[in-house]
Amino acid sequence: MASEPFEDTADYVQSLARGLQVLRAFSHDLSNPSLSQVAERAGLSRAVARRLLLTLQHLGYVGSRGRSFYLMPRVLELGYSYLSSLDLTELAQETLMLLSERVGESCSLAVLDGSDIVYVLRVPVRRVMSVALGVGARLPAFATSLGRVVLADLSDTELTAWMREQKFRALTPHTLHTMTALKAEIKRVREQGYSIVARELEVGLYSIAVPIHAADGRVVAALNVGMPYTDDAPARAVKLILPALHDAQRSIEHAIQRGNWQPHMALTRVYE
């Protein structure tokens, strides 16, 4: 017999969930929303959204200007509390800097969070996407090299369960966005040990990623190099960048083992 949804139990705090929905309503493309826009994006009534916004404003997480609202710097405390508890970023910082210098491209470390990958460390060299990426930025996991190497560590059952909860869409004419195509690609990633995504997230972007394993062998993060798409990008990625990625991968994993680092629950598989 299936257990009742957690949202229907006495332990579920609806006001907390709604407050987080309001915070997530702010984004790069909606940085100064009105009350109506917050309510619509958060799926709440105007009255509920207003009370939550005023509470968040009182606590210092939200500010207002006229009829618009905006996030205050204090919201960074939420993300930095997580990052400060994640020893992995300290272990990987120097390695990413050396990798970026070696290949002359931007390098990133990310983890899987639900439908998205979230950047926890980044060394940018040039801007290769239309949106600025930094620590805390989120991208759809299915269309990124970072996401696919983490997803490749899931069992077939776990992967199917994850996919059934997603809404895939074509981000460019080259995006793999069906379960059949994605499963075939992730199987290839699983076999070869790395992922290449060419023009699927943005037409001008080419990226290659490898997984990062914890001491127990599970994939807990992904490391990638992103570059502009050119005719010679495929050959350069495999012949020059992949060996550098493997060196960085080994360096980070050795540091994890020496430091006896174990992944937080938030970084373990989505479907245990």
Side-chain angles (χ1 to χ4, degrees):
M1 182 177 178
S3 60
E4 64 177 324
F6 181 73
E7 289 84 352
D8 295 334
T9 68
D11 292 324
Y12 183 73
V13 182
Q14 187 181 61
S15 57
L16 174 59
R18 287 176 169 177
L20 293 174
Q21 284 176 248
V22 166
L23 288 177
R24 287 196 295 269
F26 295 82
S27 65
H28 177 75
D29 62 334
L30 194 63
S31 58
N32 296 97
S34 65
L35 171 59
S36 296
Q37 289 174 315
V38 171
E40 180 180 2
R41 180 165 288 193
L44 302 170
S45 69
R46 280 174 53 91
V48 171
R50 177 179 177 277
R51 290 199 301 271
L52 291 168
L53 282 167
L54 292 177
T55 300
L56 289 168
Q57 184 173 9
H58 173 72
L59 294 174
Y61 291 103
V62 168
S64 64
R65 184 182 301 110
R67 295 187 177 182
S68 299
F69 294 87
Y70 56 91
L71 294 179
M72 296 289 287
R74 190 168 189 177
V75 297
L76 294 173
E77 293 177 359
L78 302 175
Y80 284 129
S81 295
Y82 166 72
L83 290 174
S84 65
S85 69
L86 185 59
D87 295 338
L88 180 59
T89 56
E90 296 182 12
L91 296 173
Q93 176 73 54
E94 183 177 359
T95 298
L96 255 70
M97 293 179 67
L98 292 173
L99 174 62
S100 181
E101 290 178 7
R102 178 175 172 180
V103 300
E105 303 289 355
S106 300
C107 306
S108 306
L109 188 75
V111 297
L112 181 67
D113 180 29
S115 302
D116 303 326
I117 55 100
V118 180
Y119 286 84
V120 296
L121 193 60
R122 181 163 168 79
V123 179
V125 170
R126 69 185 84 181
R127 183 166 171 173
V128 294
M129 290 189 64
S130 61
V131 297
L133 295 177
V135 171
R138 307 174 73 95
L139 291 174
F142 81 92
T144 64
S145 59
L146 290 162
R148 289 178 185 174
V149 292
V150 180
L151 292 171
D153 191 52
L154 300 178
S155 68
D156 289 341
T157 300
E158 291 170 329
L159 181 60
T160 298
W162 183 87
M163 285 188 167
R164 284 175 177 167
E165 294 192 357
Q166 312 308 311
K167 293 182 179 179
F168 302 125
R169 65 193 187 283
L171 304 174
T172 77
H174 309 280
T175 308
L176 299 180
H177 62 284
T178 66
M179 285 186 65
T180 300
L182 286 167
K183 281 187 174 181
E185 179 60 24
I186 290 173
K187 179 182 178 182
R188 179 166 30 252
V189 171
R190 194 180 288 157
E191 292 170 348
Q192 67 190 15
Y194 64 89
S195 173
I196 288 177
V197 169
R199 301 187 291 174
E200 293 188 53
L201 189 63
E202 287 201 0
V203 173
L205 177 66
Y206 192 95
S207 67
I208 180 169
V210 296
I212 299 297
H213 301 84
D216 62 4
R218 294 200 289 178
V219 173
V220 293
L223 174 68
N224 91 335
V225 170
M227 68 199 88
Y229 179 82
T230 60
D231 289 340
D232 65 346
R236 181 169 175 252
V238 174
K239 293 180 180 179
L240 299 177
I241 293 180
L242 184 57
L245 269 171
H246 280 152
D247 287 344
Q249 175 191 44
R250 286 190 290 269
S251 177
I252 295 172
E253 291 178 350
H254 288 165
I256 289 173
Q257 293 172 9
R258 288 197 306 270
N260 196 30
W261 180 82
Q262 293 295 328
H264 296 295
M265 289 301 294
L267 303 186
T268 57
R269 282 192 178 95
V270 179
Y271 296 93
E272 290 286 17

